[in-house]
Amino acid sequence: MRISLIQMDVKYAQAEVNYERVQQLVTEAAAAKTDIIVLPEMWNIGYALDQLNELADKEGNRTKTFLAELARKLEVNIVGGSVATVKNGSFYNTSYVFDRKGKLCSEYDKVHLFGLMHEDKWITAGAKANRFVLDGIPATGVICYDIRFPEWERSLMHQGAKVLFVSAQWPEQRIEQWEIMLRARAIENQAFVIAVNRVGEGPEGDHFNGHSLAIDPLGNILLRAPDDKEGIFDVNLDLDSLEAIRGEIPVFLDRRVDLYD
């Protein structure tokens, strides 16, 4: 399975610029015959939280139409990162996943909200899991701060997901923790991790350096995107190797859920 990680500079509060840039990058990635394209977090407006009333995607309709048409036209699966949405009067950080036919496979509202970026003051937390199947491969996805909660990933992964997709706006000053935690999530869940982070500048002086990653079930780095470089970075996953790894150390079978809170 070939996966394209789109590490892009998200322009603050500039939806038109960002939609146009995503279209360019997704079209370019699809031309290289990739299977799945993955976008970063909040790519439509960045963390322009004080402008959500004007800029949030109403019911996600623009993004859903936009990504569905791209997926169908280009015959590619899209893990759509996340965008700022307003649904039933509340704001959300929402991820959409589409298959090659443009069918919506999953809609996920970020569960864990990040106080340091004031997300919890503006955004409503989600309350549902995010599981989907692309090209016959079971997968799941989370958004940024979610990765600090391994119990959440385990609850998502224990039903057999082979790939964990992560979309983020993770600042450079904590990028070492980003890599450590993602490698841990891959090892403990015996799964591939595909993590896409943005580049560029945030509204309060935050610098985002990318450092997008593809990690195998043993925690080995298959791809580390260059820091501070916008672009498309491709990786091939050997999904057949995963079952052998899970067979050697059957952590899911050996869990003692009767002892866990």
Side-chain angles (χ1 to χ4, degrees):
M1 173 174 281
R2 183 179 179 88
I3 300 181
S4 296
L5 291 71
I6 293 187
Q7 183 168 282
M8 66 176 280
D9 183 357
V10 178
K11 300 300 182 182
Y12 179 72
Q14 298 182 52
E16 298 303 324
V17 173
N18 292 322
Y19 277 96
E20 181 178 350
R21 185 60 174 148
V22 166
Q23 182 167 353
Q24 293 171 348
L25 291 167
V26 168
T27 302
E28 182 180 342
K33 304 301 181 183
T34 193
D35 295 303
I36 301 175
I37 297 171
V38 190
L39 297 170
E41 180 186 18
M42 292 284 273
W43 59 259
N44 63 336
I45 61 170
Y47 266 79
L49 300 180
D50 60 346
Q51 300 179 56
L52 287 171
N53 278 321
E54 297 80 29
L55 299 177
D57 188 1
K58 294 178 175 58
E59 306 300 328
N61 287 332
R62 178 178 185 180
T63 303
K64 286 186 285 187
T65 299
F66 173 74
L67 293 179
E69 289 180 353
L70 282 174
R72 182 171 57 250
K73 177 182 177 181
L74 301 172
E75 298 182 337
V76 67
N77 301 291
I78 299 176
V79 177
S82 76
V83 294
T85 63
V86 55
K87 298 183 285 187
N88 299 317
S90 297
F91 300 115
Y92 294 90
N93 183 339
T94 305
S95 174
Y96 299 107
V97 177
F98 290 87
D99 68 14
R100 296 178 186 271
K101 296 181 179 179
K103 177 185 176 183
L104 179 64
C105 299
S106 178
E107 177 175 340
Y108 171 71
D109 298 318
K110 186 177 181 181
V111 167
H112 301 95
L113 304 179
F114 191 51
L116 283 181
M117 293 181 75
H118 314 300
E119 192 174 29
D120 57 331
K121 296 180 180 179
W122 298 91
I123 301 291
T124 298
K128 295 182 179 179
N130 185 27
R131 298 186 182 95
F132 48 91
V133 176
L134 295 175
D135 290 350
I137 304 300
T140 187
V142 297
I143 301 172
C144 202
Y145 190 45
D146 282 335
I147 70 169
R148 288 187 179 270
F149 302 87
E151 63 272 32
W152 181 233
E153 276 74 31
R154 177 53 59 89
S155 69
L156 293 169
M157 299 294 295
H158 82 278
Q159 293 185 9
K162 297 182 177 182
V163 185
L164 170 65
F165 292 96
V166 182
S167 296
Q169 291 208 27
W170 196 283
E172 181 182 28
Q173 61 263 39
R174 292 185 290 277
I175 206 67
E176 184 175 355
Q177 298 169 21
W178 157 262
E179 180 169 322
I180 291 169
M181 285 189 287
L182 289 170
R183 295 180 76 177
R185 298 298 86 81
I187 294 167
E188 67 201 10
N189 291 296
Q190 297 179 319
F192 291 96
V193 171
I194 304 296
V196 177
N197 191 31
R198 66 162 291 190
V199 294
E201 306 301 322
E204 297 184 2
D206 290 316
H207 177 68
F208 300 93
N209 67 328
H211 205 84
S212 299
L213 296 164
I215 306 166
D216 77 7
L218 296 175
N220 300 309
I221 304 294
L222 302 177
L223 169 71
R224 181 185 287 110
D227 288 354
D228 296 307
K229 182 178 181 181
E230 187 178 53
I232 302 164
F233 303 95
D234 296 324
V235 63
N236 291 306
L237 304 186
D238 178 10
L239 293 167
D240 291 338
S241 66
L242 187 145
E243 296 307 323
I245 292 168
R246 289 183 172 180
E248 291 177 359
I249 308 176
V251 294
F252 289 100
L253 293 176
D254 293 339
R255 295 168 70 216
R256 287 293 308 277
V257 293
D258 57 309
L259 300 178
Y260 308 152
D261 292 333

